[in-house]
Amino acid sequence: MADGPGSQGHGGELLLYLTDEQLRQGIEAMFFAYRAFTADPDRILQGLHYGRAHHRAIHFINIAPGTTVNNLLSILGVTKQSLNRVLRTLIEDGLVESRVGRADKRERHLFLTEAGAALEHQLSEAQRARMRAAYRQAGPEAVAGFRRVLEAMMDPEMRRHYSGLREARG
Amino acid sequence: MADGPGSQGHGGELLLYLTDEQLRQGIEAMFFAYRAFTADPDRILQGLHYGRAHHRAIHFINIAPGTTVNNLLSILGVTKQSLNRVLRTLIEDGLVESRVGRADKRERHLFLTEAGAALEHQLSEAQRARMRAAYRQAGPEAVAGFRRVLEAMMDPEMRRHYSGLREARG
DNA sequence: AGTTTAAGTCAGCCTTGTTGACATTCCAAT
DNA sequence: ATTGGAATGTCAACAAGGCTGACTTAAACT
């Protein structure tokens, strides 16, 4: 075992929480928590011939109704071919509506239909329920720390798309 | 907009952090942070004809050297066919060693070779670097909260496999 | 008029998950 | 000793959802 900095004593909080072992536990916590976090929606989607990709599209169209395909592309970080495959089935099934842009007719603006909004709510409620339970169990201060670490972990590029910073911190 | 509990004012911390909007931001933070969290190892693995599945196998073999295939299966939550495909290439490439069990010769015990340990270190160091930076930026109290929320979010089933609780909290 | 941009489409490939069927090896119990 | 069950491995087929490359259409910009 390599003896990293801060491995002795327990008073040096500033160093202790940065040992490799602490970091490894954080990494593992992310792995198991994210797995649980996606399990509930996955369960709902399976059998509907939808997957996680459909969930992501629905989620961001719900947050930013009228978003263009290009914008969605940059948020999701996938190719247009990948997104298109997903979007096509959602439009065919009447969960998403694609409207030609008024100012720029090349653009398509995306909206959830009533059925789409209903599925969105079902999916997000499953996730909210788990998050709500975790928040209650951990308490408000833990939640603030949770958010702060996650935000610090994001790429600056991705942080642009993240609505948490813009709104609730104004 | 439905007006949930605690949606007015800003003093009611006890309720405010459980509004649907706060929960939604937590959900989104998980999405973007996890994306960033896996981006670095993914970048290393691409081109090596390895993927995230190889990373996961290597990670858990490193944590629990000598683990059996069945045990790994239950941690990773995939089918043996899926895992076997990944394991086979890792063994062929000399990153993982499979030793027949002494007590029970049906079992195979898995170990990282030197080359496997080297790749593991490279991958985990990339993740540790990001986590270290996020921890430094957020501070020790935030880290404790981060861990507490993630642990509360896990399924009890998964929590059994999570080493953070057993060791550091004795 | 020519170029660029937004969107969509077709074809093909890869990784990683799934089922189902089946072989092998070994332990344990009858 | 034979049989049943457990652990492992393997083959085949399939699906989701990423990817690249090539190409079209329509609209906008210059």
Side-chain angles (χ1 to χ4, degrees), chain B residues 24-41:
Chain B
R24 211 215 75 224
Q25 286 176 16
I27 289 168
E28 233 173 86
M30 277 294 281
F31 173 75
F32 286 118
Y34 193 78
R35 162 98 75 65
F37 169 73
T38 54
D40 307 308

Side-chain angles (χ1 to χ4, degrees), chain A residues 31-63:
Chain A
F31 173 74
F32 286 117
Y34 192 79
R35 163 97 78 63
F37 169 73
T38 54
D40 307 309
D42 282 359
R43 217 172 292 123
I44 294 169
L45 289 160
Q46 87 176 63
L48 282 163
H49 69 274
Y50 290 141
R52 215 174 279 182
H54 299 84
H55 183 189
R56 288 196 285 263
I58 287 174
H59 174 89
F60 285 106
I61 293 172
N62 179 61
I63 283 177

Side-chain angles (χ1 to χ4, degrees), chain A residues 13 17-18 20-37 56 59-60 63 75-77 124 127-128 130-132 134-140 142-143 145-150 152-155 158 161-164 167-168, chain B residues 14 17-18 20-37 56 59-60 63 75-77 124 127-128 130-132 134-140 142-143 145-150 152-155 158 161-164 167-168:
Chain A
E13 258 192 326
Y17 78 104
L18 279 174
D20 279 5
E21 176 56 21
Q22 291 293 317
L23 293 168
R24 210 217 75 226
Q25 286 176 16
I27 289 168
E28 234 174 85
M30 276 294 281
F31 173 74
F32 286 117
Y34 192 79
R35 163 97 78 63
F37 169 73
R56 288 196 285 263
H59 174 89
F60 285 106
I63 283 177
I75 292 173
L76 296 174
S124 65
Q127 272 183 324
R128 272 195 302 274
R130 183 181 290 266
M131 181 104 15
R132 201 181 289 124
Y135 275 18
R136 278 222 185 86
Q137 201 177 315
V143 169
F146 167 73
R147 290 282 302 275
R148 215 166 323 139
V149 172
L150 288 187
M153 208 150 60
M154 293 177 197
D155 282 335
M158 298 175 182
H161 299 295
Y162 173 61
S163 55
E167 300 174 22
Chain B
L14 279 168
Y17 81 105
L18 280 172
D20 279 5
E21 176 57 21
Q22 291 293 317
L23 293 167
R24 211 215 75 224
Q25 286 176 16
I27 289 168
E28 233 173 86
M30 277 294 281
F31 173 75
F32 286 118
Y34 193 78
R35 162 98 75 65
F37 169 73
R56 290 197 283 263
H59 173 90
F60 286 106
I63 283 178
I75 293 174
L76 296 175
S124 66
Q127 273 184 323
R128 272 197 303 274
R130 183 182 291 266
M131 181 99 24
R132 202 180 288 123
Y135 275 17
R136 280 222 184 87
Q137 201 177 317
V143 169
F146 166 74
R147 290 281 302 275
R148 215 166 324 139
V149 172
L150 289 186
M153 208 150 59
M154 293 177 197
D155 281 335
M158 298 176 181
H161 299 295
Y162 173 62
S163 54
E167 297 174 25

Side-chain angles (χ1 to χ4, degrees), chain A residues 51-52 54 56 79 81-82 85 104-106:
Chain A
R52 215 174 279 182
H54 299 84
R56 288 196 285 263
T79 59
Q81 293 93 328
S82 244
R85 179 166 37 194
D104 187 335
K105 290 177 191 168
R106 288 171 306 180

Side-chain angles (χ1 to χ4, degrees), chain B residues 18-85:
Chain B
L18 280 172
T19 61
D20 279 5
E21 176 57 21
Q22 291 293 317
L23 293 167
R24 211 215 75 224
Q25 286 176 16
I27 289 168
E28 233 173 86
M30 277 294 281
F31 173 75
F32 286 118
Y34 193 78
R35 162 98 75 65
F37 169 73
T38 54
D40 307 308
D42 282 359
R43 216 172 293 121
I44 294 168
L45 289 160
Q46 85 175 63
L48 283 164
H49 69 274
Y50 289 142
R52 215 174 279 181
H54 299 84
H55 182 190
R56 290 197 283 263
I58 288 174
H59 173 90
F60 286 106
I61 294 172
N62 179 61
I63 283 178
T67 185
T68 63
V69 173
N70 247 11
N71 185 39
L72 202 50
L73 237 38
S74 79
I75 293 174
L76 296 175
V78 297
T79 58
K80 66 176 173 175
Q81 293 90 332
S82 237
L83 177 60
N84 199 255
R85 178 167 39 197

Side-chain angles (χ1 to χ4, degrees), chain B residues 63-139:
Chain B
I63 283 178
T67 185
T68 63
V69 173
N70 247 11
N71 185 39
L72 202 50
L73 237 38
S74 79
I75 293 174
L76 296 175
V78 297
T79 58
K80 66 176 173 175
Q81 293 90 332
S82 237
L83 177 60
N84 199 255
R85 178 167 39 197
V86 162
L87 233 37
R88 199 189 320 150
T89 68
L90 290 174
I91 292 169
E92 278 170 6
D93 297 352
L95 301 181
V96 167
E97 197 193 333
S98 168
R99 294 185 208 153
V100 173
R102 275 180 313 172
D104 186 337
K105 291 177 191 167
R106 289 168 302 179
E107 296 180 342
R108 302 298 135 93
H109 298 277
L110 303 169
F111 300 87
L112 293 185
T113 63
E114 264 192 49
L119 179 56
E120 192 285 329
H121 191 266
Q122 194 190 351
L123 293 169
S124 66
E125 182 48 40
Q127 273 184 323
R128 272 197 303 274
R130 183 182 291 266
M131 181 99 24
R132 202 180 288 123
Y135 275 17
R136 280 222 184 87
Q137 201 177 317

